[in-house]
Amino acid sequence: MPDATGLELLAQELRGAQGAQAGAPSGSPVIETLFFRGRGTLLIEPAHIRRVLAELRGRGYAFLASLHGVDHYPQEPRLGVVYELLDMRRVDRVTVKLRLPGDGAEVDSVTPEWPTADHQEREVFDMFGVVFRGHPDLRRILMPEDYEGHPQRRDFPVGGEPVLFTFNEGPRTGAPE
Amino acid sequence: MSSGPGPTISDYRRREQSITLSPLEEQLEEQEGPLSEELLTLNFGPHHPATHGVLRLLVTLQGEVVREIKPIIGYVHTGIEKTAEDKAYWKVIPVIERMDYLSYYFNAMAFCGAVETLLEVEVPKRAQYLRVIHMELNRIMSHLVWLGTSALDLGAISMFWYCFREREKILDLFEMSSGARMHTRYFQVGGVIEDIPSGFAEKLAAFLAEMPSRADQYGALLNSNEIVLQRLRGTCPLDAETLLSLGVTGPLLRAAGNPWDLRKADPYSSYEDFQFKIPVGTVGDNYDRYVCRLAEIYESVKIVEQALAGLPEGPVITADRKVALPPRHELATSMEALIHHFKLVTEGFRVPPGEVYFPIESPRGELGCFVRSDGSSKPARVHMRDPSFVNLQAFSHMAKGAYIADLIATLAMLDPILGGIDR
Amino acid sequence: MEVKREPVGPLGGPSGHVDPRALRVRELNARQLLRGGELEGANPSAHLEGSDFERHVEESVMTTTLERAVAWARSNSFFPATFGLACCAIEMMSIVAARVDVARFGFEAFRASPRQADLLILSGRVSIKMAPIVRRIYDQMLEPKWAISMGACCSSMGVFNNYALVPADKFMPIDVHVPGCPPRPEALMHGVLKLRKMVQDDPDMGWRERYDARGTEEVLADLGGAAAGPATAAVNVPGGGSLQDTAGA
């Protein structure tokens, strides 16, 4: 894990490298850094995600271990996407996070450069409703394709059925259609 | 289906609205004439004896050669992560154990490790060694079930009974220590729930003494078998570069030559105290995957032997009463213990806010648990990075251009567990 | 010392032969009461008399030796369908393994095709995506067929009472529920043997009510009577109460 100072240096380099590229989205990519329980996290602007991941890949973090979503409801912006990167040579992990608003959550897909993100981005779309622009095949992966709603959001009800006992059991089903 | 030279994509294929035409099919669509061949889309599963669970595959075949595979999952999606947000931390453990249902100790370890990192509690040494013992026994058991069912797919039906015979012995050991065969809730936050009973060490030693010879027998049955060699050797190889870009870890990556193993690279729970080797393959074909997993059984036996020999004395769960239940005899005398017990059982412990990702090495690869806590007694988000879910993406790369029989063999060697894929 | 043996009569009445048919009807009535139903409306047999009663008993209770033999054969040769969904599937594989050997009872022929199977052991959690597929597979099985719901997840909702699961009772008829998470192989074996007992004793088991399948009974020729009738064995004519080409009854 890059220690706290290493993390700050990394963030500074990312901010600095941004100006050198032409045509890059403006603004500083890194919003804040967080060092928690021995692991470094970079909170970045969603527009810069592909660039930041490419930069980190250049620095050795070449393995995308996990891509998952979080719902920070009721804080805004409520949806978050977390990218866990791993440097296998130095056995180093760094986390990249971004926050998106609940309505119209869109971010660039990193699947072209990181093929491992394919199914994982589909899962984030299915569970949270984050649209990944440029994803080759963004459909629901775990829920049925015509399902409405995004189950993992905090305001989606857990659901469930009352347990069937003899007293509340309805007429037995089974008539063939 | 149209007759004569004409569009070569069948109507059924077109009607599958949600499946886009693969680039190959688009090419064929433009081509007309005697050279164009018809592609057949076959639906494999979800109810199929060879799919190791409810996996649905849409396989596009050209003759008997596989051109494209689209896996469709979600048929055993249980909403585990959503359910986990609704329960106190210690009640999440039985729910999360049922995710990857062959490696339940690993699921529990990943979650407990994440929560222990958030809480900053230290797990006593004896508990760590007990965890290692149970996890490695689980690894052996998972590989035995994999071996039995994979050999069943290949046609070597007797292997099923031999492997399950050993599995019963391991489950007996689990039943001795925790009371249940599967999904034992033995790992708790801060350690393990109970110390091993008397007789466990002897029974475990007896099992460890005979397990290597049993694994030799399995190897003797399969390693030089002509059919196994023909079906597995040289089929569906995939190089380590592609595997890494697809996020594949575990025995699949090790079979391709990359010795990445979290137990050695980033040890957790006292794995650094043990000496063991990492079996690595050379070519990355199905035969290497088979041999790697078989060799891992021997290594796990070695680890358990060392852990049992070096098992230290001490508590089996952390002494922090705010996290772990006090021992029952204290409840009669100490008011504080009573209050702690009450708070822990009704509300559960509170975890300071933060997010943590805890990766471990499960029998299928990197199993990571992401826990986000908002300061209350229930987690705000639990996500399991399941290795089978990510490894499945490599399946179509592996099986492209192979025959259907190789597809079955590759699926068997991939070792997917649909509970983990669908969660 | 003189020991006098007396058979116990029904309901403590005067000692006499216990009529199994009457006992059976009382059993059905009792079950109906337990289910909260009214005796009068729900179970018309409560007030049947005479020949109506005889006919009702014949229809609902197995009496003939042929039926008994067929039930014995059916119950001792279940062909389970390979249908493993989740963790319970591993314990179901354990009953095929050597310790709890299901081949002792004759059930080791697990058939992959539902057309060839007659027992569906639903082992594991049924998600909403999988439920229509399970139903389709159950429909593809041929009569007579039975279903065992193995484990807590398909019997009730199990550990996960949430949006993603459906209890199996909601979309298909289940004969035996086996509790457990996962049930031990011995427990599943107990459930299968209970099903075997159910099939041996009462093969009808109400699957005609479950299916609402009156009028689809197999019509066999009267073996002592008009043997020259053409096509007298009509099997499973759906929806047809009377069969035109049957020679008499």
Side-chain angles (χ1 to χ4, degrees), chain A residues 63-67 84-86 93 120, chain B residues 357 366 385 390:
Chain A
F63 186 78
L64 181 61
S66 179
L67 205 176
E84 299 280 345
L85 291 167
L86 165 64
R93 288 185 190 263
Q120 302 187 60
Chain B
Y357 176 77
E366 172 172 325
R385 183 259 189 221
V390 182

Side-chain angles (χ1 to χ4, degrees), chain B residues 76-88:
Chain B
V76 74
H77 174 65
T78 329
I80 289 184
E81 301 177 346
K82 183 83 183 177
T83 307
E85 287 176 15
D86 211 25
K87 301 194 181 300

Side-chain angles (χ1 to χ4, degrees), chain B residues 122-406:
Chain B
E122 204 187 300
V123 181
K125 204 72 174 159
R126 185 176 174 87
Q128 291 185 11
Y129 273 55
L130 284 176
R131 279 181 171 181
V132 166
I133 290 176
H134 284 83
M135 279 198 288
E136 290 306 314
L137 282 176
N138 201 168
R139 191 185 303 270
I140 300 174
M141 192 264 281
S142 169
H143 284 327
L144 282 172
V145 175
W146 161 81
L147 187 58
T149 49
S150 298
L152 198 61
D153 285 348
L154 293 178
I157 305 184
S158 319
M159 281 302 296
F160 181 78
W161 276 266
Y162 296 137
C163 292
F164 271 66
R165 173 189 62 189
E166 255 53 69
R167 177 176 176 257
E168 293 289 333
K169 298 218 181 80
I170 299 182
L171 291 182
D172 280 346
L173 287 166
F174 289 162
E175 198 176 353
M176 270 188 94
S177 65
S178 62
R181 289 159 51 107
M182 287 177 71
H183 305 325
T184 58
R185 287 173 297 141
Y186 188 60
F187 290 7
Q188 294 289 322
V189 175
V192 297
I193 197 164
E194 230 181 24
D195 205 346
I196 48 175
S198 64
F200 184 86
E202 288 80 23
K203 200 160 178 181
L204 180 59
F207 169 74
L208 292 171
E210 68 159 6
M211 187 67 211
S213 67
R214 296 276 194 229
D216 288 338
Q217 288 172 9
Y218 305 150
L221 263 180
L222 294 177
N223 278 350
S224 325
N225 183 293
E226 184 65 32
I227 298 180
V228 167
L229 286 175
Q230 289 261 0
R231 284 194 75 168
L232 296 185
R233 186 153 265 198
T235 53
C236 304
L238 200 55
D239 60 311
E241 279 296 313
T242 319
L243 287 173
L244 280 175
S245 76
L246 287 161
V248 174
T249 48
L252 294 171
L253 186 62
R254 292 196 279 275
N258 187 329
W260 178 255
D261 189 329
L262 278 171
R263 295 175 290 170
K264 285 278 196 197
D266 192 10
Y268 52 93
S269 186
S270 302
Y271 267 107
E272 62 268 11
D273 294 351
F274 308 116
Q275 298 194 346
F276 57 100
K277 299 202 193 126
I278 307 290
V280 167
T282 47
V283 178
D285 59 1
N286 281 338
Y287 191 71
D288 274 347
R289 293 168 194 142
Y290 154 72
V291 163
C292 265
R293 286 207 182 92
L294 194 59
E296 278 185 11
I297 295 182
Y298 294 99
E299 300 303 321
S300 292
V301 166
K302 278 190 214 148
I303 299 178
V304 182
E305 277 169 358
Q306 293 170 48
L308 189 62
L311 191 61
E313 296 298 325
V316 293
I317 198 164
T318 177
D320 186 352
R321 294 278 177 262
K322 298 225 179 325
V323 167
L325 286 175
R328 286 212 74 103
H329 61 261
E330 272 185 32
L331 295 183
T333 50
S334 157
M335 189 61 196
E336 262 187 22
L338 200 60
I339 296 175
H340 279 135
H341 184 104
F342 178 75
K343 284 296 278 181
L344 281 174
V345 169
T346 53
E347 187 193 358
F349 49 81
R350 288 170 182 264
V351 174
E355 299 176 3
V356 128
Y357 176 77
F358 191 81
I360 64 172
E361 182 78 20
S362 91
R364 276 156 273 285
E366 172 172 325
L367 173 67
C369 183
F370 172 82
V371 175
R372 171 174 171 253
S373 156
D374 55 1
S376 73
S377 63
K378 298 184 182 175
R381 169 87 167 118
V382 176
H383 170 78
M384 304 293 281
R385 183 259 189 221
D386 184 74
S388 306
F389 183 58
V390 182
N391 292 356
L392 192 63
Q393 297 173 101
F395 183 47
S396 67
H397 290 254
M398 282 179 193
K400 270 204 182 103
Y403 294 124
I404 298 183
D406 298 334

Side-chain angles (χ1 to χ4, degrees), chain A residues 150-161:
Chain A
H150 297 282
Q152 201 75 45
R153 291 195 172 196
R154 296 280 274 171
D155 50 357
F156 191 90
V158 174
E161 311 256 348

Side-chain angles (χ1 to χ4, degrees), chain C residues 42-133:
Chain C
N43 193 351
S45 67
H47 51 261
L48 284 178
E49 296 292 326
S51 62
D52 295 325
F53 184 75
E54 295 281 338
R55 202 160 38 103
H56 168 83
V57 164
E58 267 178 33
E59 279 174 2
S60 59
V61 178
M62 168 187 65
T63 49
T64 65
T65 313
L66 180 64
E67 285 177 10
R68 243 187 245 283
V70 168
W72 178 87
R74 274 188 185 144
S75 67
N76 276 315
S77 63
F78 289 137
F79 279 15
T82 58
F83 203 84
L85 289 167
C87 353
C88 285
I90 315 288
E91 292 293 44
M92 186 174 70
M93 288 197 257
S94 284
I95 64 168
V96 185
R99 187 176 280 193
V100 181
D101 188 11
V102 80
R104 295 181 271 163
F105 307 103
F107 309 147
E108 83 276 13
F110 274 71
R111 316 302 297 170
S113 162
R115 298 270 184 209
Q116 299 169 2
D118 61 4
L119 175 62
L120 188 67
I121 304 186
L122 258 184
S123 52
R125 37 210 198 226
V126 186
S127 72
I128 54 180
K129 210 166 169 180
M130 192 65 194
I133 295 170

